[in-house]
Amino acid sequence: MADFSVREAREDDCDEIVRLMQGFATHEGNLHLLKTNVKTLKRDGFGEKKVFDCFVAEETQSTGRSRLVGYLMYMWSFTTLTGRFLYVEDLFVERDFRRKGVGSALWASAMKLALSWGCGYMQWMAKRGNTSGINFYKHLGAVETNTDNFMTFTLDEDAMTLACSKIVSE
Ligand SMILES: CC(C)(COP(=O)(O)OP(=O)(O)OC[C@H]1O[C@@H](n2cnc3c(N)ncnc32)[C@H](O)[C@@H]1OP(=O)(O)O)[C@@H](O)C(=O)NCCC(=O)NCCS
């Protein structure tokens, strides 16, 4: 096991979390799309109308210094059929710390929280072809949800602005 501990993220972790997010976005091939920065992270994770929570894995160094080596970002969600559930947005562990139980420890914190709140399930998305991620989830016992009957819709900023202007002027 690596020398690390998992705890809830604090506002002063945001610089480090953004660094890890950049690593995750690079891994996913999305770095050019990453808009989140320290300012938006502080607003959306620690501000008055926060929308996400986060666990971080912190390396414990003999010098007493510490640095973050992984994070799991989640948000609460709700479905009328079964009630509250926990949605995981990001899970990332720095390359040098992989296969040392860090991802499992982060996930365990989220599972314990979900269970303590009576969540019926946890949910997340994984990119097809992300073998390490998929193997990790299979190791946990997760099952792929068949979404053949459902479509995911997205309305981007330009489309929202246009749709709003049409509806207001109608
Ligand atoms: C997926 C990820 C978070 C796993 O973190 P980790 O700290 O390496 O995971 P753990 O050490 O807790 O692994 C637990 C088990 O998962 C499985 N597993 C994890 N990574 C694996 C890999 N690359 N290949 C095969 N099995 C793997 C193994 O069964 C492992 O147990 P073992 O090491 O005793 O065999 C990490 O590889 C990562 O950050 N990947 C890049 C980002 C990513 O893909 N995130 C998920 C997006 S959907």
Side-chain angles (χ1 to χ4, degrees):
M1 289 276 280
D3 213 1
F4 70 92
S5 55
V6 170
R7 59 168 173 79
E8 283 175 23
R10 301 185 301 253
E11 189 169 358
D12 63 4
D13 291 322
C14 284
D15 286 275
E16 284 275 276
I17 297 172
V18 166
R19 175 180 61 75
L20 293 171
M21 276 179 171
Q22 287 166 346
F24 185 40
T26 303
H27 175 270
E28 299 273 288
N30 287 337
L31 187 59
H32 60 296
L33 299 175
L34 184 67
K35 283 189 182 168
T36 302
N37 55 41
V38 174
K39 193 175 166 200
T40 58
L41 204 64
K42 283 187 176 175
R43 181 194 63 193
D44 296 337
F46 302 90
E48 201 185 329
K49 293 201 172 172
K50 57 183 274 179
V51 288
F52 72 81
D53 287 288
C54 191
F55 286 112
V56 292
E58 188 169 40
E59 180 193 21
T60 328
Q61 295 172 332
S62 51
T63 56
R65 289 171 63 106
S66 63
R67 74 184 186 104
L68 301 189
V69 296
Y71 74 104
L72 182 154
M73 177 181 282
Y74 66 92
M75 44 278 279
W76 297 108
S77 197
F78 183 85
T79 160
T80 46
L81 289 181
T82 57
R84 184 190 278 247
F85 70 96
L86 193 141
Y87 184 83
V88 179
E89 173 62 18
D90 283 1
L91 170 70
F92 179 74
V93 174
E94 278 195 319
R95 189 172 295 280
D96 290 350
F97 278 79
R98 292 185 194 157
R99 303 303 290 268
K100 296 174 188 220
V102 178
S104 298
L106 284 164
W107 205 271
S109 296
M111 287 190 290
K112 282 181 200 157
L113 188 65
L115 288 168
S116 74
W117 275 92
C119 291
Y121 58 94
M122 290 169 67
Q123 198 169 60
W124 63 94
M125 287 202 276
K127 231 178 178 180
R128 285 193 197 284
N130 180 359
T131 325
S132 59
I134 291 166
N135 283 329
F136 174 82
Y137 299 134
K138 285 190 175 161
H139 176 80
L140 284 170
V143 289
E144 189 182 338
T145 314
N146 184 346
T147 55
D148 280 358
N149 293 331
F150 290 93
M151 296 160 76
T152 306
F153 286 95
T154 306
L155 202 57
D156 71 14
E157 220 176 321
D158 289 343
M160 275 191 283
T161 308
L162 183 64
C164 267
S165 69
K166 280 188 185 164
I167 293 166
V168 170
S169 60
E170 268 168 14

